[in-house]
Amino acid sequence: MAEKTNANIGFEKQLWDAACVLWGHIPAAEYRKVIIGLIFLRYISAAFDKQHQKLVDEGDGFEDDRDAYEMDNVFFVPEEARWSNIASKAHTPEIGTVIDNAMRAIESENKKLKNVLPKNYATPDLDKRILGDVVDIFTNNIDMSDTMASEDLLGRTYEYCIAQFAEKEGVGGGEFYTPSSVVKTLVSILRPFDNCRVYDCCCGSGGMFVQSEKFIEAHGHKRGSISVYGQEANPDTWKMAKMNMAIRGIDADLGPYNADTFTNDLHPTLKADFILANPPFNYHPWNQEKLLEDRRWKYGTPPAGNANYAWIQHMIHHLAPNGKIGLVLANGALSTQSSGEGNIRKNIIEDDLIEGIIAMPTQLFYSVTIPVTLWFITKGKKQSGKTLFIDASKEFVKVTNNNKLTEDNIAKIVASFVDREDKDYFCRLVPNDEIAAQDYNLSVSTYVEQEDTREKIDIVKLNAEIAETLLSDESANLTVAEDGLQAVRMFQEKPEGYFDAILMDIMMPVMDGLTATKTIRSLKRPDAETIPIIAMTANAFREDKEKCLAAGMNAHLAKPIKIENIKRILYEYCV
């Protein structure tokens, strides 16, 4: 057995490092179920043991009374499911069956966990010697005797392990985990209050609810003072959410089973004060053909090929008067005009529901690298006719393969959302008529000016260097094309390395210089990317500098020139 330690600080990583003993000894799909199940079982057993001892010490004979546990929000754990029984059989061939039976006994005693807990420990795929070693780690290395402190500590461990599973499993991980820094940003802006109703229509592992409880508790109110409603389609993820709620002591109504939110809404009459969600990005198919006349589509029927605006309208439908929504969506939803989505967005904006849009950094999620946006939708918003845009795309620190919002990043975003004052290169309060003039585009970059942090290029110096290189050989040849299209064809016809550089007039017949430059740069040959392409007319380059650089031009000559005098002027320029 491992040496006994008291892992009250930093035990999340210790648990993870130790639990990696299992990796490679069980299919990856079963791995997280094994560890999460043991975390849950160890925790509720510790909570039960503490309550049991308290009742014994009181001497009133209630230590075997189930109600004496439930009244203090403690699971009643039958004797065969207590950790002492499991620990004593850690290195027997039956340990897998012992744990499975423990899970069944807990489900039998606690109806809200029926068919929720994992019962895969007796599977032949799981080496029982390895399982016994893991049980030892839970027994000896992790102290959960102080359940009041451990409640949050274990919850953090649970979240930590979910995050690690997500990172290890790659894309699949995003199905059940939204990074806590993203959730905290949403919750800190929405600020749920006592006795409110909080809803997540695609709740994953329940992180939105956990953070909402944390927020209320941190502001001097009691845990459990909100009503929690959720729904999740994935059966394994739904079970994880149920366990997460139990670990946290959150009494959540997640429905009697997992179910698809669109076709089987488990909370049809709910009007929530706060809705937080991270729906699957660009989800399809979503059974649109069965829901064409659904009353939720107040602003227009969402297309079959993308559920983004189905999620948005589902949430608006479930929003109470003066309610608020905070959700995560891929950036495409901000500006798309496909299949009527632009018209739906227009109708929502004209109904004055969009309170704010926040552009987030890339690579925040384990499952996707594309940039995402936080949407805040409010009924009866205080500043009518205006929408706040925040560019938080640079508010992050790099952590391994992903980016993360720090506490300072979150505080800056939240303060700006509350203040609602314009800040250069960061946020701007925009009237809805300006949004309408932009064809109801909600892209943050349309309204918040981007700071140019690119290295400044000394065009004249670069041009001189390129020209000097061209003229270093007095025998250099010049080949003249009559138009841009001919220049492209001449480049294609000659072998790699034949031309040292291309001088391109921006205004040319048949094909203009910018198009010709783009065409050359797109050719599938190495020198197409590296050959210098120089704009011959300085004034035109200066006027259209961004277009020239975007097309792939490197520099310009300092003065207008005629084709027949190119070499002479180049030589004079360099001298």
Side-chain angles (χ1 to χ4, degrees):
M1 281 190 178
E3 180 183 354
K4 186 168 184 174
T5 63
N6 185 349
N8 286 326
I9 298 176
F11 97 10
E12 296 99 329
K13 187 175 187 305
Q14 179 184 2
L15 171 64
W16 176 256
D17 290 343
C20 281
V21 170
L22 266 178
W23 203 263
H25 293 276
I26 190 172
E30 299 296 312
Y31 179 73
R32 55 184 164 92
K33 299 179 189 177
V34 170
I35 293 299
I36 294 300
L38 290 177
I39 290 174
F40 176 82
L41 186 58
R42 181 72 177 95
Y43 174 73
I44 64 170
S45 294
F48 173 87
D49 289 343
K50 181 179 180 180
Q51 183 76 351
H52 183 270
Q53 188 59 51
K54 174 187 172 184
L55 294 171
V56 170
D57 293 343
E58 290 173 353
D60 295 327
F62 292 125
E63 58 267 23
D64 293 321
D65 185 343
R66 174 176 171 172
D67 291 341
Y69 294 86
E70 291 190 345
M71 66 184 297
D72 287 335
N73 202 27
V74 175
F75 280 99
F76 182 82
V77 182
E79 187 170 354
E80 66 268 33
R82 295 169 194 172
W83 192 263
S84 56
N85 179 56
I86 294 169
S88 68
K89 298 174 182 176
H91 293 286
T92 67
E94 299 82 25
I95 181 59
T97 301
V98 169
I99 296 174
D100 283 348
N101 288 339
M103 297 293 189
R104 293 188 181 95
I106 293 170
E107 288 186 347
S108 178
E109 290 288 341
N110 300 274
K111 302 303 182 185
K112 60 185 175 182
L113 287 177
K114 184 179 180 181
N115 298 323
V116 168
L117 303 182
K119 295 173 282 292
N120 59 335
Y121 297 90
T123 175
D125 293 332
L126 178 54
D127 189 320
K128 300 308 177 287
R129 293 171 297 175
I130 297 297
L131 178 58
D133 290 340
V134 173
V135 170
D136 278 351
I137 292 168
F138 276 82
T139 301
N140 301 319
N141 289 33
I142 300 172
D143 180 11
M144 295 188 188
S145 59
D146 183 2
T147 54
M148 288 303 291
S150 295
E151 187 170 16
D152 284 337
L153 189 61
L154 200 282
R156 289 199 299 274
T157 303
Y158 181 84
E159 290 180 34
Y160 178 85
C161 285
I162 290 176
Q164 296 299 319
F165 293 136
E167 185 173 25
K168 203 145 186 132
E169 294 181 5
V171 173
E175 294 176 2
F176 54 85
Y177 181 72
T178 303
S180 59
S181 62
V182 175
V183 179
K184 187 169 185 178
T185 303
L186 287 169
V187 172
S188 298
I189 288 175
L190 292 181
R191 301 176 67 85
F193 48 75
D194 271 0
N195 301 314
C196 66
R197 293 155 293 180
V198 176
Y199 174 52
D200 185 346
C201 53
C202 39
C203 66
S205 57
M208 302 290 187
F209 305 136
V210 171
Q211 198 67 53
S212 296
E213 287 271 11
K214 280 184 181 178
F215 181 88
I216 288 175
E217 195 171 20
H219 288 77
H221 302 284
K222 193 175 181 181
R223 179 187 291 256
S225 60
I226 63 175
S227 299
V228 172
Y229 302 88
Q231 184 160 343
E232 173 57 41
N234 183 292
D236 288 339
T237 306
W238 178 78
K239 292 175 182 178
M240 293 176 73
K242 295 277 282 188
M243 286 188 281
N244 198 8
M245 298 301 97
I247 285 174
R248 295 288 190 160
I250 298 174
D251 187 14
D253 181 357
L254 305 185
Y257 43 76
N258 62 287
D260 177 75
T261 299
F262 295 130
T263 58
N264 187 11
D265 186 354
L266 298 179
H267 307 287
T269 62
L270 173 66
K271 296 296 180 181
D273 301 297
F274 297 95
I275 299 177
L276 301 99
N278 173 25
F281 298 157
N282 307 320
Y283 178 59
H284 73 282
W286 57 276
N287 292 305
Q288 183 248 31
E289 68 281 0
K290 300 177 182 177
L291 302 165
L292 294 175
E293 303 300 324
D294 196 286
R295 63 194 180 111
R296 289 171 288 185
W297 316 146
K298 176 180 177 180
Y299 301 101
T301 303
N306 194 318
N308 286 342
Y309 280 92
W311 290 116
I312 291 173
Q313 292 191 85
H314 172 86
M315 294 179 215
I316 293 173
H317 173 77
H318 280 288
L319 201 59
N322 301 315
K324 297 176 177 290
I325 298 171
L327 74 150
V328 186
L329 281 178
N331 281 7
L334 297 169
S335 58
T336 177
Q337 298 290 344
S338 299
S339 305
E341 288 176 308
N343 196 53
I344 297 174
R345 184 174 60 253
K346 170 181 178 289
N347 293 336
I348 293 172
I349 293 170
E350 289 187 340
D351 211 10
D352 204 18
L353 293 177
I354 308 296
E355 184 173 16
I357 300 288
I358 302 178
M360 300 295 278
T362 59
Q363 294 183 294
L364 287 176
F365 290 77
Y366 293 97
S367 54
V368 293
T369 58
I370 61 174
V372 301
T373 307
L374 304 186
W375 292 52
F376 293 91
I377 298 172
T378 302
K379 284 188 176 179
K381 65 185 187 184
K382 293 181 179 179
Q383 285 183 305
S384 60
K386 295 181 179 180
T387 299
L388 182 69
F389 291 87
I390 297 178
D391 182 4
S393 59
K394 299 179 179 64
E395 299 296 316
F396 67 90
V397 294
K398 192 75 175 177
V399 180
T400 60
N401 296 324
N402 290 89
N403 296 326
K404 179 182 178 181
L405 297 169
T406 65
E407 292 294 327
D408 288 343
N409 296 142
I410 295 172
K412 179 180 177 181
I413 295 168
V414 173
S416 297
F417 200 96
V418 173
D419 295 342
R420 305 184 76 75
E421 296 178 355
D422 293 357
K423 297 177 183 177
D424 289 346
Y425 308 122
F426 189 68
C427 62
R428 182 169 167 245
L429 192 61
V430 179
N432 284 355
D433 56 1
E434 183 178 339
I435 298 174
Q438 294 291 340
D439 204 17
Y440 298 93
N441 185 331
L442 292 176
S443 298
V444 173
S445 59
T446 302
Y447 307 101
V448 179
E449 183 181 359
Q450 306 296 299
E451 185 175 10
D452 188 357
T453 58
R454 296 175 300 179
E455 181 182 355
K456 303 302 180 183
I457 300 174
D458 186 336
I459 295 293
V460 173
K461 181 180 178 182
L462 178 61
N463 178 72
E465 291 174 352
I466 295 173
E468 186 173 10
T469 301
L470 289 176
L471 296 176
S472 61
D473 182 358
E474 283 295 323
S475 63
N477 293 317
L478 294 172
T479 303
V480 180
E482 294 181 0
D483 59 68
L485 181 59
Q486 187 181 6
V488 173
R489 288 174 176 169
M490 286 168 57
F491 180 79
Q492 289 178 296
E493 292 169 357
K494 298 299 182 182
E496 182 180 340
Y498 181 88
F499 292 109
D500 297 308
I502 299 173
L503 287 79
M504 193 83 73
D505 197 344
I506 293 176
M507 300 301 294
M508 290 196 294
V510 185
M511 179 185 286
D512 65 85
L514 295 181
T515 303
T517 299
K518 291 179 182 178
T519 303
I520 290 173
R521 292 296 190 211
S522 68
L523 297 175
K524 303 297 185 181
R525 49 188 276 184
D527 59 336
E529 298 179 5
T530 59
I531 188 169
I533 301 181
I534 307 170
M536 289 195 298
T537 309
N539 290 337
F541 186 92
R542 290 192 184 102
E543 291 174 6
D544 294 302
K545 176 181 174 181
E546 294 300 323
K547 291 182 181 178
C548 291
L549 292 175
M553 287 186 172
N554 303 93
H556 70 274
L557 292 174
K559 60 183 73 174
I561 56 175
K562 295 181 178 179
I563 292 293
E564 61 268 22
N565 294 326
I566 286 177
K567 186 170 182 179
R568 177 180 59 80
I569 295 176
L570 277 175
Y571 180 79
E572 291 174 355
Y573 179 76
C574 293
V575 172

